[in-house]
Amino acid sequence: DARVTQTPRHKVTEMGQEVTMRCQPILGHNTVFWYRQTMMQGLELLAYFRNRAPLDDSGMPKDRFSAEMPDATLATLKIQPSEPRDSAVYFCASGFDFSGADYGYTFGSGTRLTVV
Amino acid sequence: GQNIDQPTEMTATEGAIVQINCTYQTSGFNGLFWYQQHAGEAPTFLSYNVLDGLEEKGRFSSFLSRSKGYSYLLLKELQMKDSASYLCAVKGGSYIPTFGRGTSLIVHP
């Protein structure tokens, strides 16, 4: 089965350090999302790419977060500097939007980030 | 903006039927998803509705009424492995799925 691959699976870092999370979307998918999940807030959208172009990052704290898709096989989410409140599970999801038809998005296994 | 409401928690008995409701308010509508998420795992896609009516997939069915801003997920012949969180997500005018907080379903023997 095709899958979305995220690395690392777990990351523990000290406050102030840079964190980079990577995602390999499913080949052929044209849409990529980054979501953050916490017990308090549930799944929150951070960034949205279609055909590698960033279309929405309004949910992302711009001063410390950045998201890019340098090529079709890689999406990255960076936090610099990290803070304890960034501790969460970060999911990448990819899918294929075509003329309004939709078959759901496939989520990666997530990166569990702990900032101490 | 978008507002999605679902019950926080439900319990049911193995072998029974359970209905998980989702109500939403959105600017524009381009479809509604249901996802299943087991503890410590990623959400997995269950269903997608964009037109009114019932979509059936094995033991799971999903219903949509766009005029009422309402959907439900129906799970039949419940099994212990169905214990999970069920997430309702709505794709509004921006085509970005916004997720509800999820309904934690506990299936007991």
Side-chain angles (χ1 to χ4, degrees):
Chain A
D1 288 338
R3 60 179 65 184
V4 175
T5 303
Q6 285 187 249
T7 57
R9 289 293 305 275
H10 301 273
K11 176 73 175 179
V12 179
T13 191
E14 291 185 347
M15 181 173 62
Q17 296 299 304
E18 177 178 303
V19 175
T20 299
M21 291 169 268
R22 294 178 173 80
C23 168
Q24 181 177 356
I26 292 173
L27 190 64
H29 280 183
N30 69 344
T31 306
V32 174
F33 300 91
W34 282 104
Y35 284 93
R36 174 171 63 184
Q37 188 173 42
T38 60
M39 290 293 291
M40 294 297 293
Q41 300 295 330
L43 271 168
E44 301 174 279
L45 178 75
L46 295 175
Y48 166 47
F49 294 83
R50 178 177 285 187
N51 297 322
R52 293 178 53 205
L55 295 188
D56 192 313
D57 60 2
S58 58
M60 198 163 64
K62 303 289 192 308
D63 57 337
R64 299 184 300 108
F65 285 60
S66 62
E68 296 180 346
M69 272 201 80
D71 61 62
T73 65
L74 178 64
T76 63
L77 180 67
K78 291 186 181 180
I79 308 174
Q80 169 63 27
S82 57
E83 297 180 0
R85 59 179 167 154
D86 300 330
S87 297
V89 180
Y90 291 80
F91 286 107
C92 173
S94 74
F96 185 72
D97 290 342
F98 174 72
S99 300
D102 208 305
Y103 306 98
Y105 301 99
T106 302
F107 280 73
S109 299
T111 294
R112 183 174 295 277
L113 175 65
T114 303
V115 183
V116 297
Chain B
Q2 298 186 120
N3 189 39
I4 301 170
D5 287 315
Q6 9 178 173
T8 303
E9 186 176 293
M10 299 182 71
T11 60
T13 304
E14 192 175 16
I17 299 173
V18 69
Q19 177 175 312
I20 302 174
N21 296 325
C22 171
T23 58
Y24 63 89
Q25 296 168 318
T26 63
S27 302
F29 179 81
N30 286 290
L32 185 144
F33 301 91
W34 284 96
Y35 279 80
Q36 180 190 60
Q37 186 176 25
H38 285 100
E41 297 183 8
T44 55
F45 171 72
L46 288 178
S47 67
Y48 172 70
N49 295 67
V50 67
L51 299 176
D52 291 350
L54 188 68
E55 296 278 343
E56 297 187 75
K57 270 188 187 181
R59 295 189 299 114
F60 293 6
S61 303
S62 56
F63 171 84
L64 175 67
S65 169
R66 289 171 296 171
S67 63
K68 295 182 179 178
Y70 168 69
S71 173
Y72 67 73
L73 180 70
L74 192 71
L75 293 76
K76 303 175 186 176
E77 301 169 17
L78 279 173
Q79 303 175 9
M80 298 298 289
K81 67 178 182 179
D82 297 329
S83 293
S85 182
Y86 291 86
L87 306 169
C88 173
V90 176
K91 190 155 59 168
S94 66
Y95 289 88
I96 298 171
T98 298
F99 283 81
R101 296 292 301 277
T103 299
S104 178
L105 175 66
I106 300 168
V107 180
H108 55 83

